[in-house]
């Protein structure tokens, strides 16, 4: 394909992804009350555990409406993840052969659960973060949290961790497509562990070391799991090639 054809293809796939996210936003707006209640749960638990007043504060007239739009967008991003993840993969790997198209299906079936698992992991460590960070406030004080900043922190945390959980799938599929080998993946394990550590350190507060490791450990395991799958694939390819060479007639 020419550069112009690639750009047209990119525009088409981005348009499909945007429509999927937009449809998910409608669904997210319907669920915004329930989602907001679930996101406020750590604040309620904080007030009960620490014996202090804790609440979300809306600082301006449009803050509540803006917050609902933000929740709707994030829910739409999560709900529509099967579609936009497929569109990303389909654009990155347009040159696959017919029998390799099943990789796209495998990507979606694997990436979506991992993305949702990453979001769930972010949600799992959230109460610990809230309790730790607000625990530095003096005894008897009131925790009045800006609703926009709090929800922005929570949603970005969940989406970022979800995307982080999907990255090992890209490594496996790039290996299946012959772009990278298992040896090159394993050779870069130190850089991968460093990158994962930095990523989780940025995603979590600096004072919350426990949450950082709770997120980093499964991501490191996923990286080595991807390297192991790539190693199995490379070994199978070598055996197939050796068998093919043995069956070639001597010339």
């Amino acid at each position: 394909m020419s550069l112009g054809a690639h750009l047209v293809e990119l525009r088409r796939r981005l348009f499909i992804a945007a429509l999927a996210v937009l449809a998910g936003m409608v669904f997210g707006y319907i669920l915004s009350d329930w989602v907001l209640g679930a996101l406020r749960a750590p604040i309620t638990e904080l007030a009960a555990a620490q014996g202090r007043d804790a609440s979300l504060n809306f600082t301006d007239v449009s803050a509540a409406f803006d917050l609902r739009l933000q929740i709707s967008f994030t829910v739409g991003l999560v709900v529509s993840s099967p579609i936009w993840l497929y569109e990303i993969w389909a654009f990155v790997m347009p040159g696959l052969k017919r029998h390799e198209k099943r990789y796209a299906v495998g990507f979606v079936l694997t990436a979506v659960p991992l993305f949702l698992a990453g979001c769930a992991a972010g949600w799992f460590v959230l109460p610990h973060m809230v309790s730790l960070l607000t625990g530095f406030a003096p005894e008897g004080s009131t925790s009045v949290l800006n609703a926009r900043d709090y929800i922005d922190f929570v949603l970005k945390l969940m989406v970022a961790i979800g995307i982080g959980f999907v990255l090992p799938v890209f490594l496996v599929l790039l290996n299946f497509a012959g772009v990278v080998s298992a040896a090159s993946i394993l050779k870069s394990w130190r850089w991968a562990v460093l990158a994962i550590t930095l990523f989780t350190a940025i995603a979590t507060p600096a004072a919350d070391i426990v949450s950082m490791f709770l997120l980093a450990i499964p991501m490191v395991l996923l990286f080595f799991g991807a390297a192991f799958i790539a190693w199995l694939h490379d070994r199978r390819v070598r055996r197939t090639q050796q068998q093919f060479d043995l069956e070639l007639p001597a010339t």
Side-chain angles (χ1 to χ4, degrees):
M1 296 174 63
S2 63
L3 176 61
H6 276 296
L7 293 177
V8 171
E9 177 73 5
L10 176 62
R11 183 181 63 182
R12 184 178 71 86
R13 297 200 177 277
L14 289 178
F15 181 73
I16 295 174
L19 286 181
V21 174
L22 184 62
M25 286 183 63
V26 175
F27 179 73
Y29 189 84
I30 297 173
L31 293 179
S32 59
D33 284 332
W34 179 84
V35 174
L36 183 58
L39 295 176
R40 291 176 59 185
I43 306 299
T44 305
E45 296 172 1
L46 167 69
Q50 299 183 0
R52 71 172 71 189
D53 293 332
S55 61
L56 291 180
N57 184 34
F58 296 90
T59 57
D60 53 64
V61 176
S62 63
F65 177 72
D66 294 341
L67 190 61
R68 287 183 180 272
L69 289 182
Q70 187 177 8
I71 292 174
S72 301
F73 174 75
T74 306
V75 173
L77 195 68
V78 173
V79 171
S80 62
S81 57
I83 298 176
W84 58 260
L85 283 170
Y86 170 79
E87 294 299 329
I88 291 174
W89 170 249
F91 176 75
V92 172
M93 294 304 233
L96 293 179
K97 298 178 182 178
R98 183 180 299 273
H99 71 280
E100 294 174 324
K101 296 297 183 181
R102 65 181 183 272
Y103 295 163
V105 178
F107 171 77
V108 174
L109 294 178
T110 307
V112 173
L114 284 176
F115 177 76
L116 297 178
C119 294
W123 176 255
F124 174 75
V125 300
L126 174 65
H128 185 268
M129 294 182 187
V130 174
S131 177
L132 175 68
L133 295 178
T134 56
F136 290 102
E139 185 177 354
S141 61
T142 300
S143 296
V144 180
L145 306 178
N146 184 286
R148 182 179 299 172
D149 293 339
Y150 172 75
I151 300 300
D152 184 66
F153 167 74
V154 174
L155 297 181
K156 285 183 177 179
L157 170 71
M158 296 174 62
V159 172
I161 300 301
I163 294 175
F165 271 50
V166 173
L167 293 180
V169 183
F170 278 97
L171 287 177
V172 172
L173 293 177
L174 289 174
N175 171 260
F176 279 29
V179 178
V180 295
S181 65
S184 61
I185 295 175
L186 288 172
K187 187 177 180 180
S188 61
W189 72 269
R190 294 180 180 84
W191 291 104
V193 172
L194 177 61
I196 290 172
T197 304
L198 292 176
F199 174 78
T200 53
I202 294 172
T204 57
D208 195 357
I209 303 299
V210 175
S211 296
M212 185 187 77
F213 280 104
L214 286 176
L215 294 175
I217 290 173
M219 293 180 67
V220 170
L221 293 177
L222 286 172
F223 171 80
F224 283 105
F228 178 70
I229 294 173
W231 177 77
L232 292 177
H233 175 260
D234 288 353
R235 187 176 67 168
R236 184 179 64 84
V237 170
R238 284 195 300 268
R239 288 181 176 178
T240 303
Q241 184 63 42
Q242 290 173 358
Q243 185 66 27
F244 178 76
D245 292 340
L246 291 174
E247 294 177 355
L248 285 176
T251 56

